[in-house]
Amino acid sequence: MTSSPLEDSRDSVLRHTTDNGVSWITLNRPAAMNAITPDQREHLISLLDHASADPSVRAVVLTATGKGFCAGADLRGASDGAERVAGDVARLIRGGAQRLIAAVLDCEKPVIAAVNGTAAGLGAHLALACDLVLAAESAVFIEVFMRRGLVPDGGGAYLLPRLIGPQRAKELMFFGDALPAAEAERLGLVNRVVPDDDLPKTARTWAERLAAGPTRALALTKALVNASLEADRPTAFAAEAAAQEINMTTADAQEGVRAFIERRPPGYRGR
């Protein structure tokens, strides 16, 4: 396991360790229900970018401490009295919440959300942007924006319809009701709901399976699936063929084919 003194300090608001090929990123402001500050957001984006480029990282887990996964953006430092200039809010969202969600979607390693508690607003979108979502039985997802008279931001109106369809997405966003983990699983927002105490163990098992897999094939598969939601069939088929062409140059692809022919388990190295 590796970490820097600043990153894994008990007092750090964003813990980070790398263990057995898995980058563990833990939001650690439990008293604030892990609401994300601008500094945390930038650090999180940096860690996701680093995970993409670091060959020793082959999967990412995003989780949190305490009873909340993430209560959204921390707005306590926002100024209510300052005069706004036209375009300020849009710039703030583009440079903040949307960059964070894009960093998850664009990370070249599979990202698992281990949702330990309440995921609200941007916190819900942060979880739903991940490739796989595990949720503790006590977790809830809340689209809080309409409760505050706000339009959903942080990619919510992009993510939710693609996951559960427009009608269900509108229901969640219009009413802002808390969605228990079991119902989120039924709708298809969550891959698996597990007992609270089993969440870390299950996240580790899933992440280590991914970390032992063909890393570049996983990255290309993630990109294909994400792009397919915007593409017509000819474009999607062309992208698939090009991805396989690229993938067949990797050592892992060649190892996978050899292992199949030799009837043995493959030994992937992420290369």
Side-chain angles (χ1 to χ4, degrees):
M1 182 181 291
T2 61
S3 60
S4 74
L6 289 177
E7 287 173 341
D8 71 352
S9 165
R10 185 171 289 275
D11 297 326
S12 173
V13 296
L14 190 65
R15 297 180 186 171
H16 176 240
T17 59
T18 300
D19 182 18
N20 203 20
V22 180
S23 174
W24 290 83
I25 303 174
T26 305
L27 302 176
N28 187 37
R29 296 182 69 221
M33 293 290 283
N34 294 303
I36 297 178
T37 66
D39 284 347
Q40 268 184 304
R41 180 193 69 224
E42 294 306 308
H43 191 187
L44 184 50
I45 291 171
S46 176
L47 288 173
L48 290 164
D49 288 345
H50 178 76
S52 287
D54 186 351
S56 70
V57 174
R58 298 172 66 184
V60 178
V61 175
L62 181 59
T63 191
T65 59
K67 296 182 179 179
F69 174 73
C70 178
D74 190 334
L75 302 177
R76 287 179 296 180
S79 174
D80 293 329
E83 182 181 356
R84 287 200 180 102
V85 176
D88 278 355
V89 173
R91 280 188 289 273
L92 180 66
I93 292 170
R94 286 196 303 267
Q98 289 178 351
R99 279 181 58 242
L100 175 57
I101 298 304
V104 178
L105 293 170
D106 294 340
C107 182
E108 295 181 29
K109 308 297 166 63
V111 183
I112 297 174
V115 183
N116 56 295
T118 299
L122 177 61
H125 302 164
L126 180 61
L128 299 179
C130 293
D131 303 301
L132 300 171
V133 183
L134 295 169
E137 288 177 343
S138 63
V140 294
F141 298 81
I142 313 173
E143 287 292 326
V144 299
F145 296 93
M146 208 62 64
R147 294 185 185 183
R148 311 287 185 259
L150 300 174
V151 171
D153 61 35
Y158 174 87
L159 292 167
L160 275 170
R162 286 163 170 77
L163 291 167
I164 58 175
Q167 270 79 22
R168 291 289 192 182
K170 289 171 189 173
E171 179 183 346
L172 294 179
M173 290 180 167
F174 286 1
F175 293 117
D177 294 334
L179 186 71
E183 181 66 7
E185 182 183 29
R186 188 185 72 80
L187 291 176
L189 291 173
V190 168
N191 292 89
R192 191 77 50 84
V193 176
V194 299
D196 289 26
D197 291 343
D198 290 348
L199 182 66
K201 177 180 67 177
T202 305
R204 180 171 296 278
T205 298
W206 282 34
E208 290 184 351
R209 283 186 65 187
L210 291 169
T215 306
R216 292 310 301 165
L218 287 167
L220 289 164
T221 301
K222 172 175 178 171
L224 282 174
V225 172
N226 288 350
S228 74
L229 300 171
E230 316 294 336
D232 57 25
R233 180 174 59 82
T235 302
F237 277 22
E240 176 186 277
Q244 193 69 289
E245 179 77 24
I246 294 168
N247 185 61
M248 287 305 296
T249 67
T250 67
D252 279 349
Q254 294 165 36
E255 163 63 9
V257 173
R258 279 196 303 269
F260 174 74
I261 294 171
E262 296 169 7
R263 298 184 181 183
R264 60 173 174 79
Y268 296 123
R269 298 185 297 112
R271 300 292 193 274

